[in-house]
Amino acid sequence: MTENLQAVHLYSGIPWWALIPMTTITLRSIWTLPLAIAQRKRIQKQSTLKPLVAATNPVLKMKLAREVLRQKKETTRKTQQESRSSSGQPTDEQKVFQALQALKANRVANLKYEQIVLMAAKETRKRQKKLFSDHGVQMWKNMVLPMFQIPLWVGMSFTFRDLSGWSTWDAIKNKALDPSLYTEGILWFPDLSIADPWCILPVVLGAISIFNVEWTFKTLELMKLTIRKGNRITIQDSLANVARMSVVFMMAISLHAPTALVLYWISSQVFSLVQNIILDLVMPISYTPNRRFNISVQGKEANNIIM
């Protein structure tokens, strides 16, 4: 990858400060953008199917609750009948059969509310998995994009690190693999082999990255069918906090990283942010009335009627 990038730079004559963003946009457009579009279409289909599955959850709870009540009544009735009937002794096989039936009935009759909720949730997930499989939009397919995007990001990061000669924390000892990096910067960072002397690029990287994180998790929030109640921490909140902490970690690294590498990270984050915004506007995945900036579809339609 390093030699290929040097060859492109040599034959094109494009300075590194422009070639790095252009390379990022080209690779992301060819490598990950088609996968992102395919994933967005798949998530849209999943979003239309989720309400169908979610609607069955209350029905399952009600059926389980009714079954519990029925089993309780049946157990009480059988107990009363057995206490009244004193004629004849049951055989051993009949005793075993009656014991198994009583055990099964007691298990159902003694179900608590938490157990009913858990059983209904398991059945709902099972039905969702089958429904997604029937429509060819299995959840595991959503991992295809990260499986392609992460290796690309890691590989390009190592490429620009090697080009910049960033092998130690001592900038004096580092020697750029391509000498043109010393002079093909722009504005306040003419030397791309050293860290940003004014620390502006790390701040820009952090701002774009945190905006990208917040935009992404806002999109996930809009996908929810129900309104969040209380301040209970969810898995999504934990993932969002981890993503925010990773942004802080990346900013700390970028303070010492060569400008060429930081420029690649910024270009990649800008591409991701623009891609997410365009996809959210052109191919929205939210099936709830909620939209961004807390604007609802009903409110928008009401405004149109008034106008």
Side-chain angles (χ1 to χ4, degrees), residues 29-251:
S29 299
I30 297 174
W31 186 259
T32 62
L33 182 58
L35 295 175
I37 295 175
Q39 176 165 305
R40 180 54 60 98
K41 292 181 179 179
R42 182 168 54 253
I43 295 178
Q44 280 184 320
K45 186 63 176 179
Q46 292 173 353
S47 299
T48 58
L49 296 175
K50 280 183 178 180
L52 302 178
V53 180
T56 63
N57 188 268
V59 178
L60 292 173
K61 291 180 183 178
M62 185 178 297
K63 286 184 177 181
L64 286 172
R66 287 179 177 176
E67 182 64 20
V68 169
L69 292 176
R70 191 185 69 82
Q71 289 293 344
K72 286 183 178 180
K73 292 180 180 180
E74 186 70 17
T75 302
T76 304
R77 185 181 63 82
K78 288 183 178 181
T79 303
Q80 293 176 353
Q81 289 180 351
E82 290 176 358
S83 61
R84 293 174 183 175
S85 61
S86 58
S87 61
Q89 294 295 331
T91 62
D92 293 338
E93 294 181 355
Q94 291 177 342
K95 288 181 179 180
V96 173
F97 179 76
Q98 291 175 359
L100 291 175
Q101 292 295 325
L103 180 61
K104 182 179 179 181
N106 289 332
R107 286 180 178 177
V108 177
N110 294 329
L111 285 177
K112 298 180 180 179
Y113 173 76
E114 293 79 7
Q115 294 174 315
I116 293 176
V117 172
L118 181 60
M119 292 177 65
K122 288 182 178 180
E123 182 63 23
T124 301
R125 286 194 296 268
K126 181 180 178 181
R127 295 189 179 190
Q128 176 178 290
K129 184 177 180 180
K130 184 179 184 304
L131 185 62
F132 284 4
S133 178
D134 293 340
H135 288 80
V137 290
Q138 296 89 332
M139 291 295 293
W140 64 265
K141 292 183 179 180
N142 294 342
M143 298 301 297
V144 174
L145 179 60
M147 289 174 61
F148 280 82
Q149 186 169 329
I150 293 176
L152 175 64
W153 186 87
V154 173
M156 292 301 298
S157 296
F158 276 106
T159 297
F160 287 111
R161 187 202 68 172
D162 295 339
L163 282 173
S164 305
W166 189 37
S167 57
T168 64
W169 293 104
D170 190 354
I172 299 177
K173 296 181 180 180
N174 296 330
K175 301 297 180 182
L177 185 62
D178 193 323
S180 60
L181 287 170
Y182 293 131
T183 58
E184 292 191 1
I186 194 175
L187 299 177
W188 69 90
F189 50 94
D191 188 354
L192 297 177
S193 64
I194 62 174
D196 183 3
W198 289 6
C199 299
I200 295 177
L201 292 181
V203 175
V204 173
L205 174 63
I208 297 174
S209 300
I210 198 67
F211 188 80
N212 199 3
V213 169
E214 297 301 330
W215 182 278
T216 301
F217 281 95
K218 179 63 175 179
T219 302
L220 297 177
E221 187 72 22
L222 292 174
M223 291 176 59
K224 293 183 178 180
L225 283 172
T226 57
I227 299 175
R228 180 174 178 175
K229 297 181 180 180
N231 297 320
R232 188 178 66 177
I233 302 298
T234 62
I235 297 178
Q236 182 174 314
D237 295 330
S238 301
L239 293 176
N241 291 331
V242 171
R244 296 184 185 106
M245 291 301 298
S246 66
V247 171
V248 176
F249 179 76
M250 181 180 290
M251 287 183 63

